[in-house]
Amino acid sequence: MITSNSILFTIISVFALQAIVLSAMIFFKRPKILAQKFLAMLTFFYAIMALNIVLVNVLKDHNMLDVFRYVQLEMLYGIGPALYFYTKSVTDTSFKFSKQHLIHFLPLVLEFIFYRTSIYRNGADGLYENPIPSISYVYLIEQWIGVISIITYSIISLRLLFNHQVLLKQYYAKLDKHSFDWLKIPILIYASFFILWNIITEIDRFVFDRSLREYYFLPTFVVLSILCTWIAFKGYLRKQESSLALKVLVDTSEKVKKPIKKDTQFIEKLEQLMQNEKPYLSTDINLTKLSELLQMKPKIVSLKINQNCSKNFYDLINSYRVAEFKERLKSSDKDKLSLLGLAYECGFNSKSTFNHVFKKTTQLTPSQYLKGIENTSEKKQ
């Protein structure tokens, strides 16, 4: 238990209740979209967690802790599966939730039943006794298994997200529009929250003997309740983006194990296309459009780019853009546009992407590179 704070309790309650209402609206929103349903469940479980903190402390202040044992709201075992299936549904275009997947939520049902038994009530009450009775360890084990479950599902979800980002780079040369940052936000926030929360609480327990608990406990749940409401509000208002068609790349994401002879015909065809038509100047160029220009299947083009160019589609296109940018800096007309203006003309669509790609390629910032060119020109004169 922590020291009660009516102001923080009110803030947590208001935002948590809003998040619960919004999550219900998202769940029943039409058209029915699988990712939206799991986002609603995930937000609901976290909002309930925040509201549960307020409920237990308010009832404790009114000497009604025994009542709380009958209305325990926590649903730890639902958070992990909801996070995983939300991540799966936004990163895998072919994913469909089946009856077999319901087994992931079986621990949630068992948890709900457990909280309605005398084992839970006696075990939870026993935590305030000295020494702690053996039945309390049953409750503690149940809690820790729930924590491990959330952390495990969170790590798996983050891994799925990372792998999806790798596939995006195989398909798109412009990630700003197609990386769907909004879809990643709930994954990153909800997965990171529980991992960081447990790191902080364990450091406080073993290093500071829980002396810092009063400073971070309630403020953390204030932040969580606000984030839940914000995510739920955004999720309800936004139109669901269509999933990326990455099926063609599943086989090409694996590294080629055996050395493969360079396909000189493909290299010449690709180079000729890049030199003559310069498709990389378009901000909307993607693997499908490039494949149409090459009159080849996207799956084959992606595979041949990886094998013959030693880079993915994203890096290949941006390498041509950087080369184009360098050439335009040598032009007498370069002063008509700023560096960013030149970058836009070369196919880049944001300053951050341009700066990152350029420095990764040349080890210099665009301004440093320009200064180097100007210094070289002055020496020649």
Side-chain angles (χ1 to χ4, degrees):
M1 299 294 178
I2 43 89
T3 303
S4 296
N5 186 314
S6 58
I7 296 176
L8 295 184
F9 283 169
T10 301
I11 295 173
I12 293 172
S13 299
V14 169
F15 281 101
L17 288 170
Q18 286 185 31
I20 291 171
V21 171
L22 286 167
S23 64
M25 294 171 67
I26 293 172
F27 190 87
F28 293 105
K29 182 181 177 182
R30 293 183 179 275
K32 295 181 179 180
I33 298 171
L34 189 61
Q36 293 288 70
K37 289 187 177 296
F38 287 119
L39 176 62
M41 292 171 62
L42 187 56
T43 301
F44 175 79
F45 291 142
Y46 266 112
I48 282 290
M49 180 192 294
L51 192 62
N52 202 56
I53 295 298
V54 175
L55 183 61
V56 66
N57 281 280
V58 170
L59 291 177
K60 180 259 298 182
D61 291 342
H62 290 81
N63 296 316
M64 297 174 63
L65 195 56
D66 56 322
V67 175
F68 174 78
R69 302 306 180 202
Y70 290 90
V71 294
Q72 163 72 278
L73 300 176
E74 196 169 63
M75 297 183 182
L76 286 180
Y77 287 83
I79 292 174
L83 175 62
Y84 170 73
F85 286 118
Y86 171 74
T87 307
K88 191 75 174 172
S89 60
V90 299
T91 59
D92 185 351
T93 56
S94 61
F95 175 72
K96 292 183 179 180
F97 190 79
S98 64
K99 291 182 179 179
Q100 288 82 357
H101 292 129
L102 288 173
I103 195 170
H104 288 266
F105 292 96
L106 178 59
L108 173 63
V109 177
L110 297 177
E111 178 189 28
F112 182 84
I113 296 173
F114 174 74
Y115 284 147
R116 272 71 209 164
T117 65
S118 59
I119 298 175
Y120 157 68
R121 292 191 293 273
N122 295 332
D125 289 336
L127 295 177
Y128 301 96
E129 298 177 13
N130 191 10
I132 296 177
S134 57
I135 196 171
S136 293
Y137 289 101
V138 176
Y139 170 63
L140 289 174
I141 291 172
E142 180 270 339
Q143 288 285 291
W144 272 108
I145 292 176
V147 169
I148 293 171
S149 167
I150 295 174
I151 293 175
T152 302
Y153 275 108
S154 296
I155 292 172
I156 294 172
S157 299
L158 290 172
R159 179 70 177 174
L160 283 175
L161 181 62
F162 172 78
N163 289 339
H164 185 62
Q165 285 295 99
V166 173
L167 288 180
L168 283 174
K169 288 190 175 184
Q170 298 278 353
Y171 192 86
Y172 290 103
K174 181 186 70 173
L175 292 182
D176 301 84
K177 177 180 178 181
H178 295 287
S179 59
F180 297 110
D181 287 338
W182 155 245
L183 297 178
K184 297 187 298 183
I185 288 174
I187 301 171
L188 294 173
I189 289 178
Y190 287 137
S192 301
F193 173 83
F194 219 85
I195 293 174
L196 293 174
W197 170 254
N198 280 278
I199 291 174
I200 293 171
T201 54
E202 291 309 303
I203 290 175
D204 182 31
R205 181 164 67 139
F206 288 106
V207 179
F208 300 100
D209 194 27
R210 299 186 186 275
S211 61
L212 301 180
R213 189 176 176 85
E214 296 291 337
Y215 296 100
Y216 69 81
F217 193 91
L218 285 180
T220 300
F221 281 95
V222 168
V223 173
L224 175 62
S225 61
I226 293 173
L227 286 174
C228 285
T229 302
W230 177 72
I231 290 173
F233 185 71
K234 293 272 287 186
Y236 180 75
L237 290 182
R238 288 179 67 92
K239 292 181 178 179
Q240 180 70 19
E241 294 89 346
S242 58
S243 299
L244 289 174
L246 295 174
K247 294 179 183 178
V248 296
L249 298 171
V250 172
D251 296 333
T252 66
S253 62
E254 299 180 359
K255 294 183 178 179
V256 180
K257 296 180 179 179
K258 296 181 180 180
I260 296 178
K261 185 178 180 181
K262 295 287 185 180
D263 187 341
T264 55
Q265 185 177 0
F266 171 78
I267 296 174
E268 290 175 2
K269 186 177 182 180
L270 177 65
E271 185 63 28
Q272 186 176 14
L273 175 68
M274 292 298 188
Q275 293 297 331
N276 295 338
E277 299 188 34
K278 298 187 176 183
Y280 53 84
L281 296 181
S282 170
T283 59
D284 292 323
I285 186 67
N286 59 33
L287 185 61
T288 299
K289 292 179 181 178
L290 180 65
S291 300
E292 290 173 354
L293 293 172
L294 290 169
Q295 298 181 337
M296 298 171 67
K297 293 182 178 179
K299 180 178 178 179
I300 301 300
V301 172
S302 177
L303 182 62
K304 287 188 176 294
I305 288 175
N306 291 334
Q307 292 174 347
N308 295 283
C309 304
S310 299
K311 58 184 71 174
N312 57 42
F313 173 77
Y314 174 81
D315 291 332
L316 175 71
I317 293 298
N318 283 329
S319 67
Y320 277 100
R321 288 171 174 169
V322 169
E324 181 74 19
F325 178 82
K326 289 180 179 179
E327 286 299 316
R328 297 198 181 197
L329 281 182
K330 299 176 184 177
S331 171
S332 58
D333 296 331
K334 71 176 187 300
D335 294 330
K336 293 181 179 180
L337 290 171
S338 64
L339 291 179
L340 186 57
L342 287 173
Y344 287 154
E345 287 204 336
C346 294
F348 291 102
N349 75 319
S350 77
K351 182 178 179 180
S352 59
T353 301
F354 167 59
N355 287 335
H356 172 73
V357 171
F358 192 88
K359 189 163 186 178
K360 179 182 176 182
T361 304
T362 65
Q363 309 303 314
L364 297 169
T365 65
S367 56
Q368 289 172 337
Y369 183 83
L370 176 61
K371 190 174 182 179
I373 293 177
E374 292 174 344
N375 291 339
T376 302
S377 300
E378 290 176 359
K379 289 179 181 179
K380 289 182 178 181
Q381 294 176 357

